[in-house]
Amino acid sequence: MTSMLPAAGTSSSAAESRPLFGQDGDGLIDLRRLWHILLKRWWILAGVLAVALVLGVVITLLSTPIYRASATLQIDREAAQVVDVEGVLPAEGMYSAQEFYQTQYGLLKSRSLAQRVVTGLRLAQDAQFIEANRRSPANAQPRSDEDGGSPAERNRQAVSQLLANLRVTPTMNSRLVTISYDSADPALAQAVVNSITETFIATNLERRFEASSYARRFLEERIEQLRVRLEESERELVAYASNQQIINIPSASATSDGGANRGRSLIASSLEALNASLAEARTTRIEAEERSRAAQASTGLGLSEVLSSPTIQALREQRAELTARRQELLERFQPEYPSVQQTQAQITELDRQLAAEAGDVRRSLQGQYASAAAAERSIQGEIDALKAQALDLDQRSIRYNILQRELDTNRTLYDGLLQRYREIGIAGGVGTNNVSVVDSADLPVNPVAPRPLINLALAGLLGLLLGAAIIFVLEFLDESLRVPADIEAKLNLPLLGSVPWLPSAAALAQAERDPRSGFSEAYHSVRSALQFARPGGMVRTLLVTSSQPAEGKSTSSVAIARAFARMGKSVLLIDGDLRNPSLHKMLGGNNRAGFSSALAGSDLNDLLQPTEQEHLTLLPSGPRPPSPADLLSSQALPDVLGRLAEHFDLVIIDGPPVMGLADATLLGNASEGVLFISGAGIVRRGTALRALDRLRGAGADILGGVLERFDSKRANLGGYGYEYTYAYDYGMEETPGAKARRRKR
């Protein structure tokens, strides 16, 4: 298992290996990572921003000043109610206010309204209008400069230009709407806005008048049709009534309701009158019958009719006087006295007369009863006869009633349409409107465009966005390995260290000889990382290779070998690049015999060469074989490496590059571990990944990667957008020049 510990002495920030978005699933953007990416190529951002600002200034200076004229209208949902008569147009309360006002805004932006304005101001023939609107920002499409177009085409273009520069802006939570027009000519802008408001109000009135005129024409046609139908219905009803002898008596309300209530028939009226007479006759008969019964049961003088008779009252008074006189005579004379007898005879005559008079009253009451009964019977007979006639009339009145209802319906429709026609005539003649001008358009003084500050701000914002987009695209397309974090992030390898960049070969040679230089300290860090790269300790055979040539693998092999030799370990450095050897030149040896000779069967003791570094031995590559790959694929390779590993603490092989050759994969398979070297800014991610795949496919154990030629000072200045600080010179004595430079910084 390969250890993931970083190289000792290196410091990489947590933002180095973090991706642009969080790995913990929070989906947040790493702003620090974005900032580092922008700083990495800040000159691109600055250049694009400068170009955008220059373009913004140029466009602002070259733009034609645009003036805006505005007018404010108040649009009410209902017009002023001058007369209490309903108009033709629907009441605005029947649908929502939102629909009403959206309709009004659409009418203000309609082509028909714009056409009337263009015609009224003769804008299609106004060259100044066409030229001024071409320079307006709203007209993005260029217009043809030819004057030979047809009048209809010029008119259409004028309407389109007017609508393109027209703005309708409603005021929230109010009935106000602002109409604005942009033009390079302020007087033209004012004239167009005022013409739009006036034309819109006139159009609204015309639309109401046209609706009333259409309604009147329609009602006139319908009224004439109904008049003809009403006359036909009346003729048919009268003809049928005459044919069937149906006579109706008009009621008292017939004239007030226009004849809708035709009254009752003559038979029904007669029957009603006879019913009333029958009731009266029956009452009279009952009363007469009661008086007759009372007279029969009475003695004669007790009847009220008898008592109320004047004759009887006079006779009774006379009898009372004679009775009183007789009584006076009896007080003086005997009953046989002639005067008494004469008075008694007079009293007897009066009693006879009273009895005769009472009999006449009883006979009169019986006669009245008989007459009342006869009258009742006569009226009942008449009613029975009229009932038969009424039933027959009802049968004949079915058709009559149908015709009557049709007549009433036609009359009702006719009267309703006639009334509505009169109302529309009144409402259409009243010039009310629901649109009024609150503020007319004034002559604009200050232009609304161009706006220098806003244009520069927009240009700067667009420049920043474009520059950032270019930087992020370049960052996305950039597959080079430039910073130590790329070893882990892009290659998925443990970072064992990074080696600083040296400006020249002399500086490199001096740094190699000085064990306290920053260069040597970097390899000491790599050495420490290699010691802990595997849980079982340091490997015995180590292959140092890279993706392609000139990445610093030979320099790294020598430096790592010297670092382990300084620890007192016996180290063997093998030049495994049988095609292009270089270690004998770097360490001052000869290449007459070497690694290829050992693989061919030569004695190893005759091939090893000591170096000026204590505990470090060199095995050069030796003569170039005809087929290095065939030689390395033989069994001799693991045998030679096994014997060397028994006599040395560490065997380091400076191998050839991986890409294009099979040598490195064969050496990697035979070695216990592989150290992968990447040159900063030299190798690309795809090439390095393919090289690693080849090594892993051959069974090589890759311990980690080292970034060579890394310029930490450039990184600290923001060149790569990361902060790497390597204190490899900690504790070293500084020269006076170095101290001065540090104080200057």
Side-chain angles (χ1 to χ4, degrees):
M1 179 178 179
T2 303
S3 173
M4 298 297 289
L5 293 174
T10 62
S11 173
S12 60
S13 103
E16 297 171 15
S17 58
R18 282 206 303 256
L20 201 59
F21 293 89
Q23 292 178 330
D24 54 356
D26 55 5
L28 299 177
I29 298 178
D30 189 349
L31 296 179
R32 187 164 178 261
R33 170 69 171 166
L34 293 177
W35 177 249
H36 288 159
I37 292 175
L38 293 176
L39 288 181
K40 184 177 180 180
R41 294 182 175 88
W42 62 270
W43 62 89
I44 297 178
L45 185 64
V48 175
L49 176 60
V51 172
L53 291 176
V54 171
L55 290 177
V57 171
V58 172
I59 293 174
T60 301
L61 295 177
L62 295 179
S63 298
T64 302
I66 301 300
Y67 296 88
R68 176 176 298 171
S70 300
T72 303
L73 296 180
Q74 178 179 339
I75 302 177
D76 298 317
R77 295 181 62 187
E78 296 180 359
Q81 194 73 14
V82 179
V83 292
D84 190 15
V85 176
E86 183 180 356
V88 177
L89 296 179
E92 305 303 343
M94 296 178 61
Y95 51 91
S96 65
Q98 183 69 19
E99 294 177 353
F100 169 75
Y101 285 109
Q102 290 299 325
T103 302
Q104 299 302 312
Y105 304 152
L107 292 175
L108 284 170
K109 293 280 291 184
S110 63
R111 292 190 65 87
S112 60
L113 181 63
Q115 177 65 56
R116 296 187 62 172
V117 173
V118 168
T119 304
L121 297 179
R122 301 180 62 86
L123 298 180
Q125 293 79 29
D126 189 351
Q128 183 180 4
F129 166 77
I130 298 176
E131 182 63 25
N133 282 277
R134 284 176 183 171
R135 297 194 298 269
S136 177
N139 293 317
Q141 297 181 355
R143 302 293 182 182
S144 175
D145 293 333
E146 298 180 359
D147 297 330
S150 63
E153 180 63 21
R154 289 197 302 270
N155 187 75
R156 186 191 65 80
Q157 291 184 3
V159 171
S160 300
Q161 290 176 10
L162 189 145
L163 290 176
N165 293 279
L166 179 65
R167 289 184 177 87
V168 177
T169 307
T171 303
M172 296 298 295
N173 301 323
S174 71
R175 293 173 290 177
L176 301 179
V177 58
T178 301
I179 302 173
S180 304
Y181 187 79
D182 296 342
S183 176
D185 184 2
L188 178 62
Q190 179 189 21
V192 169
V193 171
N194 288 331
S195 177
I196 288 176
T197 57
E198 295 171 0
T199 306
F200 180 69
I201 293 175
T203 303
N204 195 27
L205 288 174
E206 290 176 5
R207 187 165 59 253
R208 291 172 178 268
F209 180 77
E210 289 175 359
S212 300
S213 300
Y214 173 77
R216 286 197 300 270
R217 291 193 300 270
F218 174 77
L219 290 177
E220 287 174 356
E221 296 176 359
R222 294 293 298 163
I223 287 173
E224 181 62 24
Q225 295 175 2
L226 284 175
R227 186 186 64 78
V228 174
R229 290 174 55 185
L230 180 60
E231 291 179 356
E232 293 177 354
S233 299
E234 289 179 345
R235 292 191 186 96
E236 187 175 0
L237 179 64
V238 171
Y240 183 80
S242 177
N243 185 34
Q244 297 295 329
Q245 296 296 315
I246 299 176
I247 302 174
N248 289 331
I249 300 176
S251 63
S253 59
T255 57
S256 62
D257 60 6
N261 188 1
R262 288 291 181 176
R264 296 170 297 173
S265 64
L266 182 61
I267 295 176
S269 299
S270 300
L271 186 60
E272 182 179 3
L274 286 176
N275 279 329
S277 299
L278 177 62
E280 184 178 357
R282 183 175 288 112
T283 301
T284 303
R285 190 262 306 169
I286 293 173
E287 292 177 352
E289 185 180 3
E290 291 294 331
R291 289 194 299 270
S292 177
R293 289 178 181 176
Q296 291 177 1
S298 175
T299 58
L301 295 177
L303 294 174
S304 60
E305 290 80 359
V306 175
L307 295 177
S308 61
S309 173
T311 302
I312 293 177
Q313 290 179 358
L315 292 175
R316 288 176 66 91
E317 290 178 357
Q318 292 178 8
R319 187 180 182 283
E321 292 177 355
L322 291 176
T323 302
R325 184 179 177 184
R326 180 178 176 275
Q327 190 64 30
E328 290 178 355
L329 292 174
L330 287 176
E331 291 179 354
R332 289 180 297 166
F333 303 102
Q334 289 296 322
E336 292 84 5
Y337 186 76
S339 297
V340 174
Q341 290 291 328
Q342 184 181 1
T343 302
Q344 181 65 39
Q346 290 177 353
I347 292 172
T348 303
E349 181 61 24
L350 288 175
D351 289 338
R352 185 189 64 78
Q353 290 178 2
L354 286 172
E357 192 66 28
D360 292 340
V361 171
R362 285 196 298 271
R363 285 190 296 273
S364 175
L365 292 176
Q366 291 176 356
Q368 290 177 3
Y369 167 69
S371 176
E376 180 183 3
R377 288 191 298 271
S378 177
I379 293 173
Q380 184 65 48
E382 291 293 333
I383 289 176
D384 293 339
L386 286 177
K387 284 182 179 179
Q389 295 178 14
L391 293 176
D392 180 64
L393 179 63
D394 290 341
Q395 294 293 330
R396 291 182 288 115
S397 296
I398 295 176
R399 174 64 179 169
Y400 179 85
N401 292 333
I402 294 174
L403 296 175
Q404 181 68 56
R405 284 193 297 271
E406 183 178 356
L407 175 62
D408 294 340
T409 301
N410 292 335
R411 178 177 288 106
T412 301
L413 293 176
Y414 179 80
D415 294 340
L417 289 179
L418 188 60
Q419 179 65 23
R420 183 58 177 160
Y421 178 78
R422 294 168 182 168
E423 291 178 355
I424 291 176
I426 296 174
V430 179
T432 60
N433 197 4
N434 63 326
V435 181
S436 59
V437 178
V438 178
D439 293 322
S440 299
D442 297 329
L443 184 67
V445 177
N446 299 320
V448 296
R451 292 175 285 185
L453 294 180
I454 295 179
N455 289 351
L456 290 179
L458 291 177
L461 179 60
L462 292 177
L464 290 175
L465 293 177
L466 181 59
I470 294 175
I471 289 176
F472 287 123
V473 169
L474 293 178
E475 179 68 19
F476 178 76
L477 298 177
D478 185 11
E479 292 190 348
S480 61
L481 305 176
R482 296 181 179 273
V483 294
D486 292 340
I487 299 296
E488 294 180 342
K490 295 183 179 180
L491 300 184
N492 197 22
L493 283 180
L495 177 61
L496 301 184
S498 60
V499 180
W501 173 78
L502 296 177
S504 62
L508 177 61
Q510 183 180 357
E512 287 180 344
R513 289 192 297 268
D514 185 2
R516 300 188 62 184
S517 65
F519 181 82
S520 299
E521 289 295 338
Y523 281 109
H524 291 165
S525 299
V526 176
R527 177 192 66 190
S528 300
L530 286 173
Q531 288 178 314
F532 300 100
R534 293 181 60 181
M538 183 62 189
V539 297
R540 301 297 299 273
T541 57
L542 176 67
L543 172 65
V544 180
T545 184
S546 61
S547 302
Q548 57 192 22
E551 291 192 59
K553 60 178 180 58
S554 298
T555 303
S556 297
S557 301
V558 174
I560 293 173
R562 283 177 174 171
F564 277 102
R566 292 190 185 101
M567 293 177 58
K569 292 183 177 293
S570 58
V571 181
L572 174 63
L573 182 58
I574 301 176
D575 192 347
D577 191 350
L578 303 181
R579 303 174 187 268
N580 187 21
S582 60
L583 292 185
H584 64 283
K585 301 177 183 178
M586 297 175 64
L587 297 178
N590 62 80
N591 198 30
R592 291 187 297 271
F595 188 44
S596 60
S597 304
L599 295 177
S602 300
D603 187 3
L604 289 174
N605 295 322
D606 299 334
L607 303 177
L608 301 178
Q609 300 178 16
T611 64
E612 61 180 10
Q613 178 69 46
E614 187 179 3
H615 304 300
L616 177 59
T617 305
L618 172 64
L619 178 60
S621 65
R624 179 175 181 177
S627 178
D630 294 340
L631 184 61
L632 292 174
S633 61
S634 63
Q635 183 60 33
L637 177 60
D639 294 342
V640 170
L641 293 180
R643 283 184 293 163
L644 292 174
E646 293 176 359
H647 293 85
F648 292 93
D649 296 331
L650 177 62
V651 177
I652 298 177
I653 306 173
D654 179 23
V658 178
M659 299 306 297
L661 303 174
D663 302 0
T665 56
L666 297 173
L667 291 172
N669 178 267
S671 303
E672 295 183 12
V674 176
L675 179 63
F676 193 77
I677 304 298
S678 298
I682 299 176
V683 65
R684 299 181 66 83
R685 175 175 177 267
T687 303
L689 288 177
R690 287 194 295 271
L692 291 173
D693 290 340
R694 292 192 62 185
L695 290 173
R696 292 191 181 98
D701 183 9
I702 303 174
L703 302 179
V706 175
L707 185 67
E708 269 276 2
R709 303 178 182 179
F710 171 60
D711 190 353
S712 60
K713 293 182 179 180
R714 185 182 178 190
N716 290 335
L717 291 175
Y720 297 111
Y722 298 90
E723 296 179 358
Y724 293 95
T725 54
Y726 295 94
Y728 292 138
D729 55 354
Y730 176 76
M732 297 178 62
E733 295 183 358
E734 292 183 309
T735 63
K739 291 181 179 180
R741 287 193 299 271
R742 184 170 60 84
R743 284 194 300 268
K744 185 177 180 180
R745 291 197 300 268

